[in-house]
Amino acid sequence: MSTFSIKSVITPEDEAAFISVPAYVYRGDPHWVAPIESSTAKQFSQDNAFFQYGKLQQFLAYQGDQPVGRVVAAVNDRLIEREGIPIGLIGFFECINDLEIGQALLEEATRWLHQQGMTRARGPIDLSTHNNCCFLTDGFDSDPMLMMPYNPQYYLDIMAAQGWSKAKDAYAYDLPLDQPLPDTFERGYKIAQKAGITFRSIQTKGEAFEQDCRHIYELFTTAFAHNWSSSARTEEEFMVEARELQTLVDTDIFVIAEDPKKDSDNKMVGFFMALPDYNIALKPVKGKLNIWGILKFLWHRRKINQARVLAICTLPEYSRKMVALAVVYLGMKGGTDKTPPYKRAELSWVYEDNMRSRNIIESTGATIYKTYRIYEKSLG
């Protein structure tokens, strides 16, 4: 039997202990990439827009004076309004390899959710699916790419022992870039051009960047309005995230499609959103973005030779104009024509039942190499 205690996070000292847990859990794990600690802390600042429509409670597990586990229970009113049922979230879960401690953390989180009137729990989701979510269930033998989850395999045993069941799986696809895309993609690009569609890179400076991001927000919100378990974001929430990523953008692999004939100030009809895999540079930083961490990041970013494709988005009415194939073609070409070129791309993540996106991705020759899962549990 483990000797441990569970407590709520209340004081600044508790908060610091909460932030410190992953470094202890993953010590010695060769594939873990530490999250930037200051970014995690911002999630619990009252400045976070989440607190305008949600509430949360953080919990810590201790063995003696050592923090060995953590979890967050959250109520996202936007998600409840959309789904029409009182469903709460668990997230930010980390725990040493101790089944009893893991179960106790989840029990404490679900008990709090039940006290808030929730009848179901879903997770892991860090406040919303726009943040980190899912547990890795297959593909533990390689590092995660930028903004993708990673966890020990024993987390799955903890979830099973506590009675959580699969809600939905998601996949990450691997695409080596040493071979060109099938000819279908270049033909799609030519068809889109003949239809009058124009293409360019995202703008990254000043008001031009702001305007591009606002149009991306409108398009993203329209195209992904019915995504499972997704809660709406305001434009300003989206812009805060976009500004944080502004200096990380590689314009060669971030393609925008526009229709000059579209009767609107916003001519954007599609985009291919990819980012360099900055995890390669972040891994040596170990979560500490102080002056030495920044220097390490700048040194190691030169080694980045792969990218993560976060989204391929087009308006449905432009499917016959092959805009989706066109932006994939240009985004991948931009990555391989660079000096030095990207060697591989990860397309992630996509839900198992999103066959429209999966069909496009699989037609590139990409194959599933990691699987992720979101769980649910009844609280009745």
Side-chain angles (χ1 to χ4, degrees):
M1 295 287 289
S2 299
T3 301
F4 63 92
S5 60
I6 307 291
K7 67 173 292 185
S8 299
V9 172
I10 300 172
T11 68
E13 291 75 21
D14 295 337
E15 192 68 51
F18 183 93
I19 299 297
S20 74
V21 169
Y24 185 75
V25 171
Y26 291 93
R27 64 196 189 284
D29 189 315
H31 298 302
W32 181 61
V33 179
I36 300 301
E37 293 181 353
S38 58
S39 296
T40 303
K42 283 173 62 176
Q43 296 291 309
F44 305 105
S45 164
Q46 289 301 311
D47 294 335
N48 186 352
F50 171 81
F51 291 103
Q52 298 173 17
Y53 54 86
K55 54 187 172 182
L56 61 82
Q57 180 60 59
Q58 300 161 260
F59 297 98
L60 273 169
Y62 281 90
Q63 280 185 327
D65 295 330
Q66 177 64 54
V68 296
R70 73 181 195 186
V71 71
V72 171
V75 174
N76 183 329
D77 291 336
R78 291 178 179 173
L79 179 62
I80 293 170
E81 181 180 359
R82 174 179 169 173
E83 300 212 355
I85 56 173
I87 186 163
L89 304 175
I90 64 105
F92 296 94
F93 180 86
E94 304 289 2
C95 186
I96 61 170
N97 191 1
D98 188 304
L99 187 62
E100 190 177 356
I101 295 176
Q103 287 185 277
L105 280 165
L106 293 174
E107 284 177 3
E108 199 68 34
T110 52
R111 183 181 300 113
W112 184 88
L113 290 174
H114 193 258
Q115 290 170 351
Q116 311 308 308
M118 302 297 104
T119 60
R120 294 193 66 78
R122 182 180 294 165
I125 296 173
D126 295 356
L127 309 185
S128 85
T129 53
H130 303 299
N131 301 323
N132 189 61
C133 61
C134 302
F135 277 153
L136 180 68
T137 67
D138 179 64
F140 295 92
D141 56 349
S142 60
D143 295 359
M145 279 213 185
L146 180 70
M147 297 188 293
M148 288 296 287
Y150 176 80
N151 53 268
Q153 194 165 0
Y154 63 80
Y155 282 14
L156 313 182
D157 299 328
I158 294 173
M159 297 300 281
Q162 194 57 26
W164 292 73
S165 58
K166 170 187 167 180
K168 197 180 290 285
D169 280 356
Y171 301 128
Y173 285 82
D174 179 54
L175 181 63
L177 299 178
D178 55 350
Q179 296 293 325
L181 290 173
D183 293 342
T184 310
F185 288 86
E186 185 173 7
R187 288 199 299 270
Y189 168 58
K190 291 178 179 178
I191 290 170
Q193 280 188 310
K194 288 180 181 178
I197 306 301
T198 59
F199 302 91
R200 62 174 176 84
S201 297
I202 188 173
Q203 303 171 95
T204 59
K205 305 293 184 182
E207 181 56 33
F209 173 78
E210 297 277 319
Q211 192 68 20
D212 270 359
C213 287
R214 294 187 192 281
H215 290 165
I216 288 170
Y217 167 77
E218 293 172 16
L219 184 55
F220 194 98
T221 302
T222 300
F224 297 108
H226 302 294
N227 259 23
W228 178 76
S229 200
S230 177
S231 54
R233 282 181 293 185
T234 65
E235 182 179 280
E236 190 50 42
E237 285 177 276
F238 182 87
M239 293 302 297
V240 168
E241 296 175 23
R243 292 175 190 127
E244 290 177 349
L245 296 173
Q246 184 172 359
T247 59
L248 303 180
V249 170
D250 179 349
T251 56
D252 292 321
I253 56 172
F254 202 130
V255 179
I256 288 171
E258 296 177 318
D259 184 356
K261 302 174 186 176
K262 187 174 173 64
D263 187 21
S264 168
D265 290 337
N266 180 7
K267 301 175 182 178
M268 194 180 297
V269 298
F271 60 82
F272 177 93
M273 181 189 297
L275 289 172
D277 180 23
Y278 285 106
N279 269 8
I280 290 173
L282 288 171
K283 191 173 184 179
V285 172
K286 298 182 179 179
K288 311 277 189 187
L289 208 55
N290 51 26
I291 183 62
W292 296 112
I294 292 171
L295 291 174
K296 287 179 182 178
F297 175 82
L298 294 174
W299 175 261
H300 288 280
R301 72 182 294 176
R302 302 176 306 163
K303 302 176 183 178
I304 296 173
N305 62 356
Q306 56 191 26
R308 179 184 164 213
V309 182
L310 286 78
I312 303 165
C313 180
T314 61
L315 292 175
E317 58 266 35
Y318 284 83
S319 59
R320 291 188 177 182
K321 295 182 179 180
M322 302 298 173
V323 173
L325 297 185
V327 294
V328 172
Y329 170 75
L330 292 174
M332 294 298 184
K333 188 173 187 298
T336 54
D337 285 353
K338 290 175 66 68
T339 303
Y342 290 107
K343 300 296 186 183
R344 64 183 284 255
E346 177 181 292
L347 298 93
S348 60
W349 40 266
V350 56
Y351 285 130
E352 60 185 335
D353 55 356
N354 183 354
M355 294 312 301
R356 181 173 181 270
S357 294
R358 288 186 60 190
N359 288 338
I360 293 172
I361 291 169
E362 290 174 8
S363 66
T364 68
T367 55
I368 295 169
Y369 85 118
K370 290 180 184 287
T371 305
Y372 304 86
R373 179 165 295 169
I374 292 177
Y375 293 81
E376 282 190 6
K377 182 180 181 179
S378 173
L379 302 183

